[in-house]
């Protein structure tokens, strides 16, 4: 398996990452990536930027060091209804939006509440994917989440960083990834890099996918063209919501 677009990466703006955008782009090029999404944290994470930071992304070049740079965010789910810490007038400006649960913003409320939070966030038309759904700090009804993701035509994340550093993450992925196969749900494989050295690092994630014989055609960022096709699909979805 090969991944050409890294859909979840952080810069120093996240407050706890270690590299600049240019450093990330340089290492992305060295890693052979064709593109990556800048997804710095929303403001509910200490030291992360205010949501209006997203309005400044438009000043950046689309290509740095020969690598396509997409504008994104990792918004925080801030309550069990699935509300986010990014206002609509800013989240609508970007190419790709992640929503995630982080203990700094929302602690677990148990399986029902945790699932309600994720299901609520998925209803936000701008959200494409839930970050690190394998996180054992929360308990999700994976069958319900995967089915809802399928209904909405959205994505499930396969987060390499989480598999490497969260004990129990791979085991949880062993539950939800077979459900993705069963329901034909597409996934995005990401590094969740917090330094340039992690750009394009997918070793643990790909190992899990290969062990499960996960269909390559369901990996939306395996090729640049397939990711671009998803973004076109996303734009059509947003236009239909506006209509």
């Amino acid at each position: 398996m090969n991944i050409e677009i890294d859909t979840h990466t952080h810069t120093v703006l996240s407050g706890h990452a270690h590299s600049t955008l240019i450093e990330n782009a340089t290492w992305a090029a060295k890693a052979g990536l064709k593109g990556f999404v800048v997804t710095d944290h929303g403001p509910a994470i200490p030291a992360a930027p205010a949501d209006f930071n997203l309005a400044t992304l438009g000043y950046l070049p689309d290509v740095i060091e020969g690598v396509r740079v997409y504008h994104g965010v990792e918004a925080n789910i801030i309550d069990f209804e699935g509300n986010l810490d990014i206002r609509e007038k800013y989240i609508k400006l970007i190419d790709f939006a992640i929503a995630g649960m982080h203990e700094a913003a929302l602690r677990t409320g148990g399986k029902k509440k945790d699932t309600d939070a994720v299901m609520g966030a998925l209803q936000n038309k701008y959200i494409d994917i839930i970050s690190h759904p394998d996180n054992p700090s929360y308990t999700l009804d994976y069958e319900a989440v995967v089915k809802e993701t399928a209904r909405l035509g959205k994505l499930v994340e396969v987060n390499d960083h989480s598999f490497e550093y969260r004990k129990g993450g791979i085991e949880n992925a062993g539950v939800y990834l077979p459900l993705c196969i069963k329901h034909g749900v597409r996934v995005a494989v990401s590094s969740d890099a917090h330094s340039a050295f992690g750009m394009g690092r997918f070793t643990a994630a790909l190992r899990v996918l290969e062990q499960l014989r996960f269909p390559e055609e369901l990996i939306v960022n395996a090729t640049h063209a397939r990711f671009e096709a998803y973004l076109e699909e996303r734009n059509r979805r947003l236009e239909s919501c506006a209509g």
Side-chain angles (χ1 to χ4, degrees):
M1 290 185 182
N2 186 47
I3 305 297
E4 293 186 348
I5 307 293
D6 195 340
T7 54
H8 185 164
T9 69
H10 295 277
T11 75
V12 289
L13 282 179
S14 282
H16 58 277
H18 301 277
S19 301
T20 66
L21 178 60
I22 293 174
E23 289 167 340
N24 280 359
T26 299
W27 280 89
K30 290 180 179 180
L33 291 173
K34 293 189 176 179
F36 65 94
V37 190
V38 183
T39 54
D40 284 312
H41 284 289
I45 295 294
D51 61 354
F52 63 74
N53 173 70
L54 296 180
T56 71
L57 294 177
Y59 301 131
L60 300 173
D62 291 335
V63 177
I64 303 174
E65 298 293 334
V67 178
R68 179 71 166 89
V69 180
Y70 298 94
H71 303 159
V73 71
E74 185 178 13
N76 294 288
I77 300 172
I78 56 174
D79 59 34
F80 295 114
E81 295 179 354
N83 290 306
L84 307 176
D85 61 347
I86 306 290
R87 287 171 284 178
E88 181 178 10
K89 66 178 180 178
Y90 296 120
I91 201 169
K92 72 180 183 180
L93 301 176
I94 59 177
D95 303 312
F96 190 82
I98 303 172
M101 290 196 291
H102 300 91
E103 290 181 282
L106 183 68
R107 291 187 176 275
T108 181
K111 186 174 184 177
K112 183 181 185 306
K113 287 186 175 181
D114 293 353
T115 302
D116 287 346
V118 166
M119 297 283 268
L122 284 170
Q123 306 314 308
N124 186 309
K125 63 185 179 181
Y126 298 105
I127 292 301
D128 297 283
I129 194 166
I130 301 297
S131 58
H132 36 70
D134 59 281
N135 186 352
S137 297
Y138 302 91
T139 306
L140 299 178
D141 181 340
Y142 286 126
E143 180 84 34
V145 170
V146 170
K147 282 185 174 180
E148 185 64 2
T149 303
R151 186 184 74 82
L152 295 169
K154 297 188 176 184
L155 311 174
V156 169
E157 187 176 64
V158 185
N159 186 304
D160 188 85
H161 179 79
S162 193
F163 288 1
E164 290 280 9
Y165 294 103
R166 290 189 172 108
K167 186 177 180 180
I170 289 177
E171 289 76 9
N172 285 339
V175 177
Y176 72 75
L177 286 174
L179 291 170
C180 290
I181 298 173
K182 175 182 176 182
H183 297 291
V185 176
R186 293 168 295 177
V187 303
V189 180
S190 70
S191 68
D192 195 359
H194 282 67
S195 80
F197 307 112
M199 296 293 292
R201 182 182 295 170
F202 310 116
T203 305
L206 292 180
R207 184 186 306 120
V208 171
L209 291 172
E210 287 165 359
Q211 288 172 348
L212 292 171
R213 298 183 180 179
F214 196 89
E216 191 272 348
E217 62 269 20
L218 291 179
I219 303 174
V220 79
N221 57 329
T223 70
H224 189 188
R226 194 178 297 169
F227 186 67
E228 283 283 344
Y230 170 76
L231 294 182
E232 291 176 7
E233 174 189 322
R234 177 188 198 266
N235 289 336
R236 292 193 296 270
R237 185 175 72 228
L238 291 175
E239 288 172 3
S240 68
C241 290

